[in-house]
Structure formats: C-alpha cells, structure tokens
Amino acid sequence: MKKREVFEVLEPPPFGLERLRARLSSRRRPVSALVLAGAALGAVVVLMASPGRSGVDLVSLARGSAAAAMVADVQVPEVVGLGQTGALRVPTQNDDVVLYRVASLDSLQ
Amino acid sequence: MADESSLDQRRFEVLYLRLEKPVFNVVYRWLWSADDARDVTQEAFMKVWAARARVRPETVEPLVFKSALNLASNRLRVKRVRRFFSLDDAADAVDLRADAVANLSSAQQRLAVRRAIEALPTKLREVVVLCELSGLSTSQIAEALGIPPGTVGSRKHQAMALLEQALGPMVEEVS
C-alpha cells in the first residue's frame, strides 16, 4: 500500500474561516453587553445621587432627631453634614478610636 | 502600532488558514467524522485565541495541535460512552454508507487503514499521525506531546512497524 494512501490528506469542510469569524464575534458580544449594562447601571446611580432631587435637609433632619434625644436625656453625638450625607460622631471609650455613623439620603427616606 | 509578538485577529486568521487542513487531518484520525473533526479544529483554535495573552509565538503551532488532540480525545471518550448506550450507531452507519457508494474497494481500503490506525496505542498513534500529517518538525511534535525529540523518532518507528504488519509494506513514492 502506498504511504500517501494510508495518510491520505483530506480537505476540511468549506467555510471554516467564516465559521471561526462568527465564533470570534459571538464571543465578543457578551463583553459589549456587559459594558452596556455597566454603563446603564452607572447612569442610574448618577441619577439617584444627583443633588436637588429631594428637598430633604439631612443635617436638620439629624439635628431634629438629636433634639428629641436630648429631651429623652440621651447623650447626643456631634452631627456633621456632607451634602446629601450626614455623619454622626459616636462616642467611644478609647479616645484614640473615632467612629462615625454615616447615613445617605436614600437610607433616611 | 501593533506588537509584533501579539496574536491579533489578523495574525490569528493567517494562522488558521495555514493550520486548518493539517489540524483537521490529525483530528480526523481520532474521530473519523468530518463534522466532528471540523468542530474540534475550530474549538482548538478558539482555545488558543482565548489564551492568546499567554501564548508565545514560537509555541503557538504545537499548542494548536496539543489543544486539538486533547479535545479530540475528550470527544472520542464521549462518543464511546454514547455508543455504549447505542446513541451514535446511526451516525457511523451513514459515514460508511457514503464511502461505499463512492467506491466499494476504496471504502474497504479506507476501512482497513482506519482499523490499523485505531488499533495503535494512543502514544504511538499521536506521534505517527502528527509526523505524517501535521507538518510540524520533530522538536515541535515533542513540544506538543511533552516528550523528548528522541522519543518521537522511536515511537514513530514502532507505529510504522505496526501499521506495516496490519496493512503490508508501505511504499513511499519518490516525486
């Protein structure tokens, strides 16, 4: 038997490169979708965090709560306003340790 | 400007055009189905593409064949399990019938070659098939199989001896 008959070289089915290109582009598609989803999520976060959406003044809200606490003879921590976020300094036993409780607009609503 | 060593899509397609036929022919000697061999060939290239950031240009060709052989072995295992549960008989029957219609004696000869190659131990079969059909050098075959180059030569010699036992003396035509 001839060696070339034993190891006969066959032609692969046609359109191999086209199939490969299709697979390469379909592999890329989920990445594009992921980027779009990420961009959409970012846009939602920016819209929710944008100022002027709500007339709520966090600092006065927190100070109102503090006044109520004073009536109840509760030690009131210091309130700091940071835009749409309020921070309460929480007293600790150790002076070297400083703790803040932070609340954003959405968590108060 | 693109990095000369990086495997971008253009270079990858050139590589595919160069290796598609040899990879297909090697894989075909595992699966004996053109459709399966085409699918495994494509899968092997996709695996290399997915790992392109870690692939060195000098090893990309052996890597394609190594991936293809691994994938072909896995697919063959699945086929054997399916055949055990009689799920794949029909597909094999179609392949043989198509050959028989084309040319009965040629089909018989091909069947004898298939049986002889299938009867080879895997370690000998992968060497002889790569030597005869891949176009890789001995050192590249050694790289693809993770064996020393000397072992490639000795395994090829053993494989050819077993094939000649099964098929008779092999004549190499001089062009």
Side-chain angles (χ1 to χ4, degrees):
Chain A
M1 189 177 274
K2 289 171 189 161
K3 195 172 179 184
R4 68 171 170 80
E5 290 171 339
V6 177
F7 298 104
E8 182 185 2
V9 178
L10 307 168
E11 285 298 324
F15 308 117
L17 183 59
E18 287 74 9
R19 286 172 67 100
L20 188 78
R21 280 179 180 155
R23 290 181 76 159
L24 287 172
S25 59
S26 70
R27 178 172 273 239
R28 264 193 224 109
R29 212 167 291 135
V31 177
S32 311
L34 201 67
V35 169
L36 282 176
L41 186 68
V44 168
V45 168
V46 167
L47 279 175
M48 289 180 74
S50 60
R53 182 174 153 268
S54 167
V56 178
D57 180 357
L58 280 179
V59 177
S60 57
L61 195 67
R63 287 192 176 128
S65 302
M70 281 173 76
V71 173
D73 199 21
V74 175
Q75 188 184 1
V76 181
E78 183 185 346
V79 178
V80 181
L82 300 166
Q84 296 296 303
T85 304
L88 301 179
R89 183 167 178 170
V90 181
T92 61
Q93 299 284 334
N94 186 342
D95 290 341
D96 294 333
V97 177
V98 180
L99 290 179
Y100 285 93
R101 245 181 112 177
V102 179
S104 69
L105 179 63
D106 288 339
S107 65
L108 286 174
Q109 283 178 327
Chain B
M1 194 172 152
D3 179 4
E4 283 299 314
S5 64
S6 68
L7 191 61
D8 58 22
Q9 186 167 340
R10 189 185 58 79
R11 287 199 182 98
F12 185 67
E13 288 182 6
V14 170
L15 181 75
Y16 179 83
L17 289 173
R18 186 152 50 84
L19 293 185
E20 180 194 16
K21 194 167 167 178
V23 172
F24 171 84
N25 273 278
V26 167
V27 171
Y28 185 84
R29 269 61 184 193
W30 253 251
L31 302 169
W32 305 99
S33 152
D35 287 344
D36 285 345
R38 177 198 56 198
D39 292 348
V40 166
T41 301
Q42 297 247 328
E43 282 170 36
F45 276 91
M46 290 305 293
K47 278 188 82 171
V48 172
W49 176 252
R52 65 192 179 281
R54 303 186 299 278
V55 174
R56 285 179 293 132
E58 65 272 20
T59 61
V60 68
E61 293 186 26
L63 186 64
V64 170
F65 282 95
K66 184 180 182 179
S67 296
L69 284 177
N70 286 339
L71 290 165
S73 296
N74 291 343
R75 188 171 284 221
L76 184 63
R77 210 170 295 128
V78 171
K79 281 184 86 169
R80 281 180 179 153
V81 171
R82 288 173 65 89
R83 195 174 298 137
F84 180 78
F85 291 106
S86 302
L87 296 171
D88 264 359
D89 283 350
D92 274 3
V94 170
D95 276 357
L96 290 176
R97 213 166 33 240
D99 275 348
V101 168
N103 184 325
L104 186 59
S105 64
S106 167
Q108 285 171 337
Q109 185 172 302
R110 284 180 180 178
L111 195 57
V113 169
R114 174 179 170 170
R115 296 280 179 258
I117 293 175
E118 278 182 326
L120 292 174
T122 305
K123 285 180 177 178
L124 301 187
R125 190 184 349 155
E126 58 192 13
V127 166
V128 77
V129 167
L130 284 175
C131 285
E132 296 300 329
L133 294 165
S134 71
L136 296 180
S137 66
T138 301
S139 60
Q140 285 178 313
I141 292 171
E143 165 101 28
L145 299 177
I147 57 176
T151 309
V152 173
S154 62
R155 285 186 185 172
K156 183 188 174 189
H157 184 75
Q158 288 177 56
M160 293 303 269
L162 288 172
L163 287 176
E164 288 195 335
Q165 267 181 27
L167 301 169
M170 243 180 270
V171 182
E172 197 153 5
E173 290 166 302
V174 181
S175 55

